[in-house]
Amino acid sequence: MSEKFDLIVIGGGPGGYVAAIRGAQKGLNVALIEADRVGGTCLNRGCIPTKAMIHASSLYREMQEGDRFGLHAEHVSYDYDKICEYKQETVDTLVGGVEQLLKGNKVTLIEGRGTLIPPQGGINAVAVEEETYLADNIILASGSRPAELPIEGADLPHVLNSDGLFALDHAPDSLVIIGGGVIGVEFATVFANLGSQVTILEALPKILDNFDKEISQNLKMILKKRGVDIHTSALVKKFAETETGMVMAEYEEKGKESAAVGDYILVAAGRRPVIEGLFAEGVQPEMNGRYVKVDENYLTSIPGVYAIGDLIGGIQLAHAASAHGIRAVEAICGDSASQNVDVVPAGVYTDPEIAIVGMTEARAKEQGIDVITGKFIMSANGKSLITKEERGFIKVVAEAGTEKILGAQMVCARATDMIGEFTTAIVNDLTVSDMLRSIMSHPTYSEGIGEALEDVHGMSLHTAPRPSRR
Ligand code: NAD
């Protein structure tokens, strides 16, 4: 007889493993099906290894700039194998931690690929190879994989996706990155820090195209200063090998044909949901294009079957997937929603960091919302001057009249940590004055938040006097 659970989760990434643990915490008998190591793309091939590489490579760059602090370091060098070892150790520690948590919460870990099959005796069913498992509820959390470019030469050995680039045993001397999205600019940061000659080719008019114009422009300037060659409105059409064993990306930039050459090409042109093998014939839920269609509780068109994370499209972020998983489990248990899943902060781990949440001034204008804004330039922030990270700004957007916080955009050190203050403000309907009630400790980067809020009233203490920008 097939084993039966209260909940089966397919996919052990940050969406799936969080749903499994939360389900177990709520008293459900849970199974998690995973073909690879738990942790998914985020822990094994995405967020964690990239951030480790960014950390190591930024330290390397900073060590060479030690003179700014009166520090002399000669013959600064790096050992790429050791950087990769440190990255892998970090990944292994976190994956091991998740494995322990699953075990501690008595989640049954089933190794293999799960396929949703027709219900058996009215109960939802999943096949893993020859075995069948039953569950009242199933959460699909199979995630996404890098998108392939449907162009000539995409299968050349030196044309890699982010997984392939991580597998290299050396930092390339030169790298051409296709796509100036989040993955593109984060990898550009790593390899420019390590001294590689990096070129970014982006089809849209700006890098990080879905971010505020000001953020894209700021980042473009910073990356260019670090030697990154950036081409926007540059649509890549073909890859080819050169006679010297290098690879070439042919692109059209504003009507002109051109080519960029490198030791390797990284394709960072988005991600696609993993649905291959997920549904047996006749049990595919209703789709929304290539994504699984869900309601506000992440329930698909099949009763008792939920889908979360990259599988459903929209915001492809680890913490969004985790929040979906928590919401789905709450719905399964008949509990009300504990989180506001509509307000999702996003961070880009460039140097300085970028973080956003909620609405931009431009988006508010498009939607006919009257807003007031405040902005603080971090070159007047003490902590930023101490650490010589004075580039960047903090901007806050509030509703005119009520002064309710609607959004914030940051380019500065620790932006990805600090954005949480604005997320808390938005989900709790806080106003500019509510936020200003707290004193910021000194000297901190967070003082920039207080100054940006004060600037809404033209009262930023460390900004030269100017008329209120209503
Ligand atoms: P993306 O969609 O952010 O960017 C891909 C870019 O490639 C786009 O700007 C697109 O215009 C460009 N592009 C596509 N085809 C092209 C062509 N032929 N020529 C030139 N340019 C082309 O995707 P991504 O950067 O691959 O990231 C995938 C997902 O992973 C995103 O949703 C991202 O948010 C997420 N992610 C998040 C983080 C983070 O939060 N720090 C880090 C990495 C990835």
Side-chain angles (χ1 to χ4, degrees):
M1 220 176 86
S2 307
E3 201 172 345
K4 180 173 177 286
F5 297 90
D6 298 326
L7 169 65
I8 291 179
V9 182
I10 301 181
Y17 88 71
V18 165
I21 292 176
R22 182 50 53 89
Q25 285 172 333
K26 283 183 175 276
L28 303 179
N29 179 20
V30 185
L32 175 65
I33 302 172
E34 171 58 62
D36 204 337
R37 299 208 309 170
V38 294
T41 299
C42 170
L43 261 67
N44 294 292
R45 298 173 297 281
C47 326
I48 300 300
T50 347
K51 277 50 178 186
M53 297 289 282
I54 288 173
H55 182 69
S57 67
S58 297
L59 262 180
Y60 172 63
R61 184 176 51 75
E62 282 170 30
M63 281 166 76
Q64 296 167 80
E65 295 169 356
D67 271 348
R68 299 182 303 164
F69 305 101
L71 307 173
H72 304 295
E74 282 169 21
H75 312 300
V76 176
S77 64
Y78 67 81
D79 179 334
Y80 197 72
D81 283 346
K82 291 234 166 88
I83 294 180
C84 293
E85 256 171 49
Y86 142 75
K87 173 196 77 176
Q88 201 51 45
E89 264 171 37
T90 314
V91 168
D92 292 345
T93 305
L94 282 164
V95 170
V98 173
E99 283 167 353
Q100 286 309 315
L101 287 170
L102 290 167
K103 212 167 155 186
N105 280 287
K106 300 196 171 32
V107 172
T108 304
L109 190 57
I110 300 169
E111 218 181 297
R113 303 205 75 83
T115 300
L116 193 67
I117 59 173
Q120 301 195 353
I123 305 172
N124 284 316
V126 176
V128 181
E129 286 156 24
E130 303 307 311
E131 292 293 328
T132 300
Y133 300 93
L134 305 178
D136 298 321
N137 296 285
I138 292 169
I139 297 180
L140 308 171
S142 53
S144 65
R145 57 173 162 67
E148 282 145 27
L149 278 185
I151 61 174
E152 195 182 327
D155 54 354
L156 287 170
H158 281 206
V159 176
L160 309 172
N161 58 31
S162 51
D163 300 350
L165 196 63
F166 272 143
L168 285 185
D169 59 4
H170 63 283
D173 287 338
S174 53
L175 178 67
V176 179
I177 300 177
I178 316 304
V182 184
I183 296 184
V185 299
E186 288 189 349
F187 275 95
T189 301
V190 170
F191 290 102
N193 282 345
L194 293 179
S196 308
Q197 175 54 56
V198 179
T199 306
I200 295 179
L201 303 177
E202 168 54 58
L204 296 171
K206 54 189 179 68
I207 56 168
L208 291 186
D209 194 73
N210 53 351
F211 283 65
D212 224 15
K213 196 171 164 194
E214 208 173 352
I215 291 182
S216 303
Q217 281 170 346
N218 234 279
L219 181 64
K220 190 173 182 181
M221 259 161 43
I222 291 164
L223 287 175
K224 277 194 154 176
K225 229 175 136 195
R226 302 233 170 98
V228 179
D229 188 16
I230 300 177
H231 297 264
T232 48
S233 302
L235 179 69
V236 176
K237 294 177 157 177
K238 185 182 164 186
F239 300 130
E241 272 168 343
T242 69
E243 281 169 7
T244 54
M246 297 179 89
V247 267
M248 177 166 75
E250 295 180 12
Y251 61 97
E252 188 187 317
E253 187 176 3
K254 292 158 198 143
K256 264 178 57 191
E257 303 289 333
S258 220
V261 176
D263 291 322
Y264 290 91
I265 286 174
L266 166 67
V267 177
R271 297 183 62 87
R272 297 285 174 266
V274 175
I275 51 165
E276 299 80 13
L278 192 57
F279 307 117
E281 225 181 294
V283 281
Q284 176 154 328
E286 220 176 290
M287 302 292 284
N288 195 354
R290 58 169 78 100
Y291 300 101
V292 179
K293 193 172 168 187
V294 292
D295 72 4
E296 69 282 4
N297 288 322
Y298 303 97
L299 183 63
T300 69
S301 58
I302 303 175
V305 177
Y306 296 75
I308 60 171
D310 289 4
L311 204 51
I312 63 167
I315 300 172
Q316 292 179 312
L317 293 173
H319 49 276
S322 302
H324 300 169
I326 289 169
R327 167 70 76 91
V329 168
E330 287 166 346
I332 289 166
C333 296
D335 298 339
S336 54
S338 62
Q339 290 184 312
N340 180 340
V341 288
D342 298 326
V343 183
V344 182
V348 188
Y349 293 75
T350 43
D351 218 342
E353 294 180 344
I354 296 167
I356 56 168
V357 67
M359 205 174 266
T360 61
E361 188 179 3
R363 181 60 57 84
K365 271 192 187 138
E366 274 165 34
Q367 296 186 9
I369 302 170
D370 193 13
V371 293
I372 44 176
T373 63
K375 188 173 175 184
F376 184 66
I377 305 293
M378 291 300 269
S379 54
N381 170 261
K383 181 79 177 274
S384 301
L385 284 165
I386 292 165
T387 58
K388 296 205 177 284
E389 293 171 296
E390 63 268 38
R391 267 206 94 97
F393 63 89
I394 296 177
K395 181 171 173 179
V396 54
V397 180
E399 188 179 46
T402 65
E403 297 200 354
K404 242 172 57 179
I405 306 291
L406 297 179
Q409 299 84 46
M410 301 170 142
V411 179
C412 60
R414 300 280 185 266
T416 60
D417 295 306
M418 293 197 294
I419 198 71
E421 284 208 30
F422 286 111
T423 312
T424 305
I426 297 170
V427 298
N428 290 296
D429 287 332
L430 299 189
T431 64
V432 172
S433 309
D434 291 332
M435 284 191 81
L436 278 172
R437 229 167 262 140
S438 347
I439 299 170
M440 302 287 181
S441 59
H442 174 75
T444 57
Y445 299 115
S446 319
E447 285 173 292
I449 293 179
E451 298 270 3
L453 289 162
E454 283 171 338
D455 187 56
V456 172
H457 302 136
M459 301 280 275
S460 163
L461 284 164
H462 298 90
T463 301
R466 61 196 152 118
S468 171
R469 294 182 300 112
R470 258 210 78 156

